[in-house]
Amino acid sequence: DQQVKQNSPSLSVQEGRISILNCDYTNSMFDYFLWYKKYPAEGPTFLISISSIKDKNEDGRFTVFLNKSAKHLSLHIVPSQPGDSAVYFCAASGHNQGGKLIFGQGTELSVKP
Amino acid sequence: NAGVMQNPRHLVRRRGQEARLRCSPMKGHSHVYWYRQLPEEGLKFMVYLQKENIIDESGMPKERFSAEFPKEGPSILRIQQVVRGDSAAYFCASSLAGPTGELFFGEGSRLTVL
């Protein structure tokens, strides 16, 4: 039972353009959503998060959008840079379950110069 | 750098042997989480520990797996009688504030069972 789904295993984008990574979830009890970035042979690093009381959170080139009615969130990276090439994981947690994250399968982003 | 330290980074075991993975949390962090990443999958929660206590082990397989976080020393994830299906990357994460705190992940321990 995959509660958090990233349906695109890979995405290729030209440098300077926008990267849009998508994530769907099924559990309406989730109230906190995060994106992690992972390079090969390294652990995931926190990128950006959003609480369910918001529909948008922005941090520099990274913006996360949350559509609760559709149970969908997306990460926008603009402009994309080659250093952004990595696997991006969407994760969710329920109330007071912050450390117990439910991860999606990941989307491998490749930003080409 | 006082990040989350995991060792060994790579571990090879034969079927039936035991694997012990260690995790030292970030300085000052007393909440430790273990996650497992199977090939081509996302990370899956295994267990949440505080010093000397298992808080949530709902993601741990019922047999052969155990975890501890003693008063002194690192957290240990122990897998007895390993099987090929245990081959995975095991990530430890720590947080300062438990359920409401940001997780900081280690670089992972990659277990290969021959």
Side-chain angles (χ1 to χ4, degrees), chain A residues 32-37 45-51 56-65 73-77 88-91, chain B residues 102:
Chain A
Y32 195 60
F33 303 89
L34 310 91
W35 285 93
Y36 279 82
K37 177 179 179 179
T45 54
F46 171 76
L47 196 57
I48 192 169
S49 64
I50 188 167
S51 163
K56 177 182 175 181
N57 188 26
E58 193 171 351
D59 183 2
R61 296 186 297 115
F62 302 91
T63 303
V64 56
F65 295 92
L73 64 156
S74 60
L75 174 68
H76 292 211
I77 307 172
Y88 289 79
F89 289 98
C90 168
Chain B
E102 180 183 337

Side-chain angles (χ1 to χ4, degrees), chain A:
Chain A
D1 176 28
Q2 190 72 27
Q3 296 186 70
V4 177
K5 295 181 184 179
Q6 295 174 255
N7 291 318
S8 298
S10 63
L11 174 68
S12 183
V13 170
Q14 205 68 30
E15 181 179 6
R17 307 295 286 267
I18 185 171
S19 296
I20 300 177
L21 297 100
N22 293 302
C23 178
D24 297 292
Y25 62 96
T26 58
N27 190 339
S28 57
M29 300 302 291
F30 289 147
D31 64 358
Y32 195 60
F33 303 89
L34 310 91
W35 285 93
Y36 279 82
K37 177 179 179 179
K38 185 180 179 304
Y39 293 114
E42 293 186 12
T45 54
F46 171 76
L47 196 57
I48 192 169
S49 64
I50 188 167
S51 163
S52 61
I53 62 173
K54 294 187 173 183
D55 54 19
K56 177 182 175 181
N57 188 26
E58 193 171 351
D59 183 2
R61 296 186 297 115
F62 302 91
T63 303
V64 56
F65 295 92
L66 175 62
N67 182 334
K68 286 194 296 292
S69 61
K71 293 192 177 68
H72 177 85
L73 64 156
S74 60
L75 174 68
H76 292 211
I77 307 172
V78 56
S80 301
Q81 299 173 354
D84 295 330
S85 297
V87 178
Y88 289 79
F89 289 98
C90 168
S93 69
H95 178 65
N96 224 26
Q97 297 264 308
K100 186 177 177 181
L101 299 176
I102 309 299
F103 280 86
Q105 309 96 308
T107 296
E108 184 172 8
L109 173 66
S110 175
V111 180
K112 301 195 182 303

Side-chain angles (χ1 to χ4, degrees), chain B residues 50-98:
Chain B
Q50 289 183 38
K51 284 286 187 181
E52 300 185 277
N53 287 304
I54 296 174
I55 307 302
D56 183 342
E57 56 180 347
S58 58
M60 288 278 271
K62 294 287 186 284
E63 297 176 346
R64 301 186 298 107
F65 285 71
S66 63
E68 63 176 6
F69 189 16
K71 186 177 180 181
E72 301 290 338
S75 175
I76 306 276
L77 180 67
R78 182 183 178 203
I79 312 171
Q80 296 178 287
Q81 299 174 336
V82 296
V83 300
R84 289 220 173 103
D86 297 333
S87 296
Y90 292 83
F91 291 95
C92 171
S94 72
S95 74
L96 182 61

Side-chain angles (χ1 to χ4, degrees), chain B residues 93-114:
Chain B
S94 72
S95 74
L96 182 61
T100 59
E102 180 183 337
L103 288 189
F104 294 86
F105 281 86
E107 294 186 319
S109 292
R110 277 148 188 82
L111 172 65
T112 301
V113 180
L114 301 177

